[in-house]
Every structure is written in C-alpha cells, then in structure tokens.
C-alpha cells in the first residue's frame, strides 16, 4: 500500500505544470480522462528492495500542428532514492502488448511488472489467484512504462480524429512515438538509455517504431521482441510460409502430449523439426502437385512421425494442416482441444453444433486460463494502491473497433511500394544498419502457435545482415507459449537472460 508519510512524486500536478508548447492550440473534442494518480511503493524479493513511484496517467498524442489525436494511458514504475528522486542514468523501457487491439495488462501483471499474478503451470487459475511482488520483474534493470494503444484499455481517440489515422500500421507507430516522446519530455528522461519491449503485434509495432524513432532523433539502446511476427504474408490462407512455420510448433505440442518424440530432449526435438521444415517439407510444399503421389506420401509418413496426425490425414491435406484443424485433431480421442497461444493448455471440445472453424479459432484455453486474473489485479492495483478512478470498462481487447478495422498498408523504406500484407523485417534491418550500436533480443516459445519461431528466424535470415550486426542480435527460445511469462520456469530464465542483455555493452 502507499505510504502517506513518504515524499510525493516529483512531477507537478497538471494545474501547476510549466506552460507547454501546444498550450494555446485550440482543444479539439476528446472524452474526459481521469486525473493522474501516483503512489510511492516498495518491491522486494526477500533479499533486495526497490522503492518506486507508480503513476497512472494519460499522455498526449498530438500531430505536428499540435492537434490532439488522442490520449494514451500509461502506467509507469520509476525507481527512486531515499529522497524520492529518480535516477536518470537508469534505463527506461516502454512496454506493450499487440493484437492489434490489445492493451498492456498481460505483459505488466502477467510478466515483467513489479506485481504479478502467480500462475499454476497449465492449469486454469481460480478467481482467488495470489498477486505478489514479482521476483523476476524488469524493474530490477530498468524503469518501466506500460502503454495502452489508442482505442484499447483506457486510451481514447479524439472524437474528431479519423480512426484510420491511428488504427493502422503507420498511424499506430506514429502515435506510440509521440506518446513516448511526451513521457520523456514530461519526466526529464532524455538522457536515459531507452528500450522498447513489445509482445506479439507489439513486435510488428517495434519494427516500425525502432526505425521511426531513429528518424525523429530518439536514439534507442535496445529492443526486445517477445513472440515476434514481422511478415504478415505468413498469416494469409494458403501461404506455404504459414505451414512451414506451424510444423515445428505442431511437433512440440505432439511431443508434449506424448504422441511423438518419446525419449528425446524437447529442445533437440524442436531443432529436428526446424531442420525437417527447412530441408524436407519446404521443397515438398514448393513443388505442389508436381511432387507426385508417391513422394507426397513418403513426406506425409515423415511428417506424421513429428506431428502425431495420421498419414492418410496428412496426405489428404497435401501436407498442409491449418492450426484450427490441428488443435481439434491432436487430442480428439480424449475429447479435448489444445490452445493456440500456448498449445499445452487444453479445454473440453465444443459441442457438435459449434462447428464454425472461425469461432473455434478464437476460443483459446491459454487465454481463458489467465487473462481475467491479470485484469482484476490491474484494476485493484490502480484503484486501491494508486487511488486512480478509471472508467468501469477497461478494453483489454478491442477487436471490434480496432483489430477488425486495422489498415495494413505499409511501405518498407526503400521498396517504393505500399502493400497490404507487409514484411516489416526490412524496417528492423534498416534500423539496425542506421544504429549499429543498438541491441536486439528476439524471444520465442516452442509451444507458441500464434507467432511461430521458425518464421521469425526465416524472416531475419533473409535480410543478410553483416556479421557485425548479427552480433547485436540475441536469440532466446524457451519451453513456453506466446505469453512466455505464464510459464514460471521460463520467466526465471528470461529474467537472467534479459538482465544479461541489458548489461551487454
């Protein structure tokens, strides 16, 4: 709880703040947002203690003319000394989830924030799940600012702002760049090492944002890509890149459930599957019906030994298995469906009348197991410890207004063409070439069927980075799913590895 006897945070209330550059710009219409709220708190793992100030507030997103496009909600954690002063030499990390259309609660109260909901393996959490100081918080290495994309969480879009301006690949990155610069300015942190930490579509955002911030003279020290996806083509129906990326993840899930890979180390099994995708499956898929029935069946037999589905099923599907089909087929004999974000999580199969594959694609035991607990913990923290009076509805997921209407057109610099299924790996490579001192960490999980590890490895390999730039890239792969921090052994390993990444010169 907040200590009423400690010194208040050093940021002045809005009514007492110095005049801002855009103060005289006529205000356009935006829904009212709550006043900022802060508290001085302490984190401990039993051996080390960190005093910090947590602040819930909104950041202005303004275009170059000063016109307000929206207000982005932020929840920050800034370490302070005995006098309540921050240390500008500490890094500051801006963190967020993806979607598009997702707020930042999962990576905060599920993963790297100072408070965390304790998980229970692959079991669904009860409403009474414990919330405690997170022994693996990134606060040990960096101050943290969690940002909710406009249209999600408690972030709002100005009423006279065209949603297409911000609900797009480029508009979203632009909004985050402006919010980040607003936070750095208000908190006098321009001299701090600056990091980005994105998950899922947040890594797609990272790719554009790390280039865009560089173009706006915001020099980044490092970028963390958790569960990365950079090439939207791999999500399109019928694309061979999709099936190639899924195959090692299917193999990992089949081994986890005892259908294949008996007696083989899970990492070795995954590596074998990655090699099979490269060396055997990829040439077979590229040949299409030129492969021939005999060779196709031979590859199906080999594929079956990895993914645990019948040879006839695989041959009938011409070696191409959609994720929804795999989730439904792998454990059909047990009457269970495995998850998407983390294939180790399971639920009872739906009733026969619930036959829609689109509907089943959105049903995910991995999400159901933990998502509500994170939001409840976040709401309790804001209300009870910060005294922040947020609206009753927190849009943790806003698929209807944001995700389903997303504008995907994006031009990777140097290509001369804006496309609707962009590959932003080119943005990543360009940012690294422009700033070769920047560090990049790429984190993936064997059981993540939302953003598969094979694809991101393939994407970056096609950029032909120099050996010097490759040395700036740290690859981390764990026995986890999409939200790596759900798995506590993985979270502990990530803690050690990301600490080393932040310490790396």
């Amino acid at each position: 709880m907040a200590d009423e006897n400690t010194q208040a945070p050093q940021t002045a209330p809005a009514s007492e703040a110095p005049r801002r550059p855009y103060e005289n710009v006529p205000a356009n219409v935006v829904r009212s947002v709550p006043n900022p709220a802060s508290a001085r708190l302490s984190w401990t793992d039993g051996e080390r203690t960190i005093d910090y100030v947590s602040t819930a507030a909104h950041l202005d997103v303004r275009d170059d003319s000063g016109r307000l496009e929206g207000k982005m909600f932020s929840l920050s954690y800034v370490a302070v000394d005995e006098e309540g002063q921050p240390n500008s030499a500490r890094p500051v990390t801006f963190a967020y989830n993806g979607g598009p259309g997702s707020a930042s609660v999962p990576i905060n109260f599920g993963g790297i924030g100072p408070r965390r909901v304790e998980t229970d393996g692959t079991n669904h959490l009860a409403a009474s799940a414990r919330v405690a100081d997170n022994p693996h918080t990134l606060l040990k290495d960096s101050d943290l600012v969690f940002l909710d994309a406009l249209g999600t969480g408690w972030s709002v879009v100005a009423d006279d702002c065209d949603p297409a301006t911000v609900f797009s690949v480029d508009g979203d990155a632009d909004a985050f760049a402006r919010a980040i610069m607003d936070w750095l300015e208000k908190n006098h942190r321009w001299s701090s090492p600056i990091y980005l930490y994105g998950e899922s579509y947040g890594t797609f955002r990272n790719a554009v944002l790390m280039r865009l911030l560089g173009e706006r003279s915001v020099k980044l020290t490092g970028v963390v890509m958790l569960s990365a996806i950079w090439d939207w083509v791999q999500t399109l129906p019928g694309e061979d890149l999709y099936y190639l990326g899924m195959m090692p993840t299917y193999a990992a899930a089949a081994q986890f459930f005892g259908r294949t890979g008996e007696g083989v180390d899970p990492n070795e099994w995954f590596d074998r599957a990655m090699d099979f995708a490269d060396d055997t499956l990829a040439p077979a898929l590229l040949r299409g019906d030129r492969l021939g029935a005999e060779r196709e069946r031979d590859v199906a037999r080999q594929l079956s030994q990895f993914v645990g589905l019948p040879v006839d099923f695989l041959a009938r599907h011409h070696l191409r298995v959609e994720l929804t089909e795999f989730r439904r087929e792998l454990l059909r004999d047990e009457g269970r469906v495995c998850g998407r974000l983390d294939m180790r999580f399971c639920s009872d199969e739906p009733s026969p009348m619930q036959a829609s594959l689109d509907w089943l694609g959105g049903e995910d035991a991995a999400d159901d197991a933990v998502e509500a607990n994170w939001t409840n913990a976040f709401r309790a923290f804001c209300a009870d410890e910060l005294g922040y009076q947020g609206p009753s509805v927190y849009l943790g997921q806003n698929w209807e207004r944001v995700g389903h209407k997303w504008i995907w057109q994006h031009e990777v610099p140097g290509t001369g063409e804006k496309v609707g299924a962009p590959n932003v790996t080119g943005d990543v490579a360009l940012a690294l070439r422009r700033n070769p001192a920047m560090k990049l960490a790429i984190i993936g999980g064997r059981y993540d069927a939302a953003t598969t590890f094979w694809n991101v490895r393939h994407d970056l390999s096609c950029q032909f980075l120099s050996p010097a730039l490759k040395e700036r890239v740290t690859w981390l792969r764990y026995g986890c799913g999409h939200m790596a921090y759900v798995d506590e052994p993985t979270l502990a390993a990530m803690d050690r590895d990301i600490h080393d990444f932040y310490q790396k010169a």
Side-chain angles (χ1 to χ4, degrees):
M1 297 294 291
D3 184 349
E4 296 180 357
N5 296 318
T6 58
Q7 182 173 340
Q10 298 302 301
T11 301
S15 60
E16 301 173 13
R19 294 175 66 85
R20 299 299 302 272
Y22 299 129
E23 189 170 7
N24 296 322
V25 175
N28 51 328
V29 180
V30 64
R31 294 196 304 276
S32 62
V33 296
N35 292 324
S38 297
R40 182 166 172 175
L41 306 167
S42 290
W43 166 91
T44 184
D45 61 358
E47 298 180 358
R48 176 183 176 185
T49 298
I50 299 175
D51 291 332
Y52 65 94
V53 171
S54 180
T55 302
H58 283 79
L59 302 168
D60 284 353
V61 177
R62 295 182 181 273
D63 65 17
D64 289 342
S65 71
R67 180 176 175 275
L68 189 68
E69 294 180 334
K71 289 182 173 289
M72 186 175 290
F73 177 76
S74 66
L75 182 55
S76 61
Y77 307 91
V78 176
V80 294
D81 59 20
E82 293 181 357
E83 285 72 41
Q85 296 298 319
N87 178 4
S88 62
R90 268 174 63 89
V92 57
T93 299
F94 296 92
Y96 30 77
N97 286 85
S102 297
S104 63
V105 161
I107 199 171
N108 184 354
F109 280 81
I112 62 174
R115 300 285 177 85
R116 178 178 179 270
V117 178
E118 295 182 349
T119 51
D120 183 22
T122 58
N123 296 317
H124 283 57
L125 296 181
S128 58
R130 182 171 178 260
V131 182
D133 279 353
N134 179 7
H136 308 299
T137 178
L138 188 58
L139 184 65
K140 293 182 292 183
D141 292 296
S142 172
D143 294 337
L144 302 172
V145 183
F146 293 91
L147 301 173
D148 289 348
L150 293 180
T152 75
W154 283 326
S155 296
V156 295
V157 179
D159 291 346
D160 60 350
C161 175
D162 181 359
T165 304
V166 293
F167 297 163
S168 65
V169 172
D170 294 327
D172 169 81
D174 178 70
F176 270 82
R178 295 175 187 277
I180 287 170
M181 289 188 286
D182 191 50
W183 192 93
L184 292 171
E185 179 68 22
K186 288 176 176 175
N187 290 273
H188 310 288
R189 294 297 294 270
W190 286 103
S191 62
S192 301
I194 303 168
Y195 287 77
L196 306 179
Y197 198 127
E199 178 190 340
S200 193
Y201 181 83
T203 68
F204 207 89
R205 174 184 297 132
N206 268 355
V208 183
L209 189 54
M210 62 195 286
R211 172 187 59 78
L212 187 61
L213 284 171
E215 292 172 352
R216 297 180 183 179
S217 299
V218 180
K219 192 146 188 143
L220 297 176
T221 298
V223 178
V224 180
M225 304 279 196
L226 173 58
S227 304
I229 179 169
W230 294 335
D231 184 3
W232 212 250
V233 167
Q234 73 195 48
T235 71
L236 302 181
E239 285 293 333
D240 287 341
L241 287 174
Y242 169 87
Y243 302 110
L244 290 169
M246 286 294 177
M247 182 265 151
T249 302
Y250 292 165
Q255 186 194 39
F256 178 80
F257 290 109
R259 304 305 172 99
T260 58
E262 182 179 359
V264 182
D265 175 78
N267 266 318
E268 180 184 345
W269 182 249
F270 193 82
D271 285 336
R272 290 184 193 178
M274 294 275 281
D275 290 340
F276 178 82
D278 287 338
D279 302 332
T280 303
L281 185 59
L285 295 184
L286 288 174
R287 291 187 66 85
D289 64 6
R290 295 171 295 145
L291 183 64
E294 183 176 348
R295 176 57 179 160
E296 182 178 72
R297 192 159 189 87
D298 178 50
V299 176
R301 280 193 291 267
Q302 297 177 64
L303 182 59
S304 175
Q305 292 171 5
F306 276 108
V307 303
L309 298 185
V311 175
D312 287 344
F313 179 92
L314 296 171
R316 188 169 64 251
H317 285 73
H318 302 297
L319 313 176
R320 295 161 170 84
V321 181
E322 298 287 334
L323 174 59
T324 303
E325 290 184 301
F326 182 84
R327 292 174 55 205
R328 188 172 57 181
E329 292 295 328
L330 183 65
L331 304 177
R332 181 183 285 275
D333 59 339
E334 300 179 15
R336 295 192 296 163
V337 173
C338 55
R340 169 179 170 265
L341 296 174
D342 189 329
M343 302 200 81
R344 299 171 301 169
F345 286 78
C346 292
S347 63
D348 289 354
E349 64 182 356
S351 68
M353 69 177 181
Q354 294 170 316
S356 168
L357 292 181
D358 287 342
W359 178 82
L360 181 59
E363 287 292 299
D364 194 347
D367 208 11
D368 296 338
V370 290
E371 185 81 33
N373 296 81
W374 294 335
T375 302
N376 289 350
F378 160 78
R379 297 298 301 264
F381 178 81
C382 288
D384 300 342
E385 301 202 48
L386 303 186
Y388 186 80
Q389 299 299 312
S392 58
V393 175
Y394 180 82
L395 296 172
Q397 310 285 354
N398 192 358
W399 305 122
E400 188 63 33
R401 283 197 63 214
V402 180
H404 291 169
K405 299 179 180 179
W406 201 253
I407 298 172
W408 289 100
Q409 277 74 20
H410 172 69
E411 179 181 338
V412 177
T415 63
E417 183 178 359
K418 183 174 285 191
V419 297
N423 182 348
V424 297
T425 321
D427 294 82
V428 174
L430 179 59
L432 289 172
R433 291 182 179 116
R434 286 174 169 174
N435 180 8
M438 179 167 50
K439 301 175 289 187
L440 176 64
I442 303 169
I443 304 172
R446 296 194 301 265
Y447 306 106
D448 177 7
T451 56
T452 50
F453 191 77
W454 183 93
N455 287 102
V456 70
R457 190 188 68 168
H458 168 266
D459 293 340
L460 196 59
S461 70
C462 293
Q463 294 300 312
F464 301 97
L465 297 177
S466 68
L469 287 182
K470 285 183 179 180
E471 290 181 2
R472 309 301 296 167
V473 181
T474 299
W475 292 91
L476 301 169
R477 193 186 74 201
Y478 303 107
C480 60
H482 187 71
M483 299 174 290
Y485 37 78
V486 170
D487 187 81
E488 294 202 8
T490 294
L491 183 60
M494 282 175 54
D495 181 11
R496 296 188 296 269
D497 292 338
I498 294 300
H499 170 77
D500 292 343
F501 174 75
Y502 270 68
Q503 295 300 313
K504 186 177 180 180

